[in-house]
Amino acid sequence: MKAKTIVTIVGARPQFIKAAPVSRALIPFFHEVMVHTGQHYDYGMSDVFFEEMEIKKPEFNLGIGGGTHAEQTGLMLIELEKILTSVKPDCILVYGDTNSTLAGALAAAKAGIPLAHVEAGLRSYDRTMPEEVNRVLTDHVSNLLFCPTDAAVKNLAKEGIVQGVHRVGDVMYDALLYNLANARAKSKILDQLGLKKGGYALATVHRAANTDSIERMRSILDGLGKLDTQVIFPVHPRTRKTINEWEISTGANVLMVEPVGYFDMLVLQENSNCILTDSGGVQKEAYLAGVRCITLREDTEWVETVAAGWNKLVGVNTDLIVDTYKNWHPQGERAALYGDGHSAVEISKTIFSALR
Ligand code: UD1
Ligand code: UDP
């Protein structure tokens, strides 16, 4: 019997990480064709993940790059349609909530090809976030919705989506379990930066609501600069642009470095004394590593990390960032919120059964 063809659409950093375990789990069941939209294109934002995580080389790279939301999404849609017309896949697989996700979802829906969405049902209930619009629209045209958490399943039910919904756990946990030993063995980042376990905090910032506001960026950088610890800050290119443009300075304790690879990031996370971030994936990884997370946003999709007591939503107020870092030290058990590390296999098997 001829293997069914699945087209995977990725484009941004967290999608490479999510696709790595799923792509491996698809091998026994499918012929996978990978399409990279080119949304992220720097070596440190893209190729490094393909190399470290041994992800297959994409058959297509659309080379879309940056642009306005309409430019990015529209150009991707046009190019994806051409690929789908020639490849004629049995299913399309998209991840998360970026413009690449939405373009892939629209292309699938317009072509009438079954769509599977990994990380379905996440909601911040903040429609000013571009990601929230992408999530809602993608979920509403998906046939198979793979939810990482119970909260995600409930969010979908509230919107009337109950068919094709599968609670499978989180593929980022699969990725972490698979790569952690290798990351510890191969990463030299602690030595390179002269760091000791617990001797520094780790920060990441890239959310549009923060990077596009001079007041919010100033407030965050002031907060990081006043922490009584060294801060390692791998700076996303979007954030680098705004910091340079507005010439925002920070304390001497903050070391701004280029974005790091996945192995270095896992090691930096697990050895830090605190993580301060507005990233979705990093909030989860902080929980999984047992490191307290101060989230530089007013809301989150990963509500269970907050309920568990390991994540605090502080927004961007400088004093609150400093005070929370100083006085908040969560302890206690961390329940297994994100599955058992076999989410990718479950996803692959479920798609296979659904297409039979
Ligand atoms: C995107 C996603 C966001 C996700 C993030 C992961 C959308 C709307 N946003 O945000 O949900 O959390 O990726 O990191 O899809 N740039 C470079 N080199 C690169 C990539 C980006 O210089 O390799 C610069 C470009 O100037 C670009 C800007 O960063 O215009 C923003 O990139 P873009 O992909 O549009 O959005 P992100 O902020 O990365
Ligand atoms: N990450 C990384 N290097 C960095 C910053 C983040 O490898 O310099 C990883 C991080 O470990 C997580 C993922 O990228 O697995 C999160 O992606 P990002 O923060 O870009 O996007 P989000 O999750 O907010 O959509």
Side-chain angles (χ1 to χ4, degrees), residues 53-85:
M53 303 181 85
E54 296 176 348
I55 308 168
K56 73 191 223 107
K57 192 171 154 41
E59 277 77 4
F60 298 91
N61 190 321
L62 308 183
I64 302 295
T68 66
H69 290 286
E71 281 165 357
Q72 264 185 345
T73 316
L75 287 173
M76 287 173 194
L77 189 50
I78 291 167
E79 295 306 315
L80 286 170
E81 185 178 62
K82 292 178 198 161
I83 291 171
L84 298 184
T85 306

Side-chain angles (χ1 to χ4, degrees), residues 21 54 92 97 117 123 129 131 150 182 235 289 291 302 304:
E54 296 176 348
I92 292 173
D97 55 16
H117 183 204
R123 295 290 181 271
M129 269 184 100
E131 292 85 357
D150 292 334
N182 213 9
V235 187
V291 175
W302 304 104
E304 56 289 322

Side-chain angles (χ1 to χ4, degrees), residues 329-348:
H329 297 279
Q331 265 157 20
E333 293 295 303
R334 286 170 296 117
L337 298 176
Y338 297 114
D340 59 4
H342 296 96
S343 307
V345 171
E346 219 174 312
I347 288 169
S348 183

Side-chain angles (χ1 to χ4, degrees), residues 13-14 17 49 172 206-207 234 259-262 265 279-281 285:
R13 173 167 68 189
I17 293 162
F49 300 98
M172 286 185 77
H206 72 275
R207 213 43 75 193
V260 297
Y262 184 59
M265 190 63 181
S279 157
E285 286 171 351

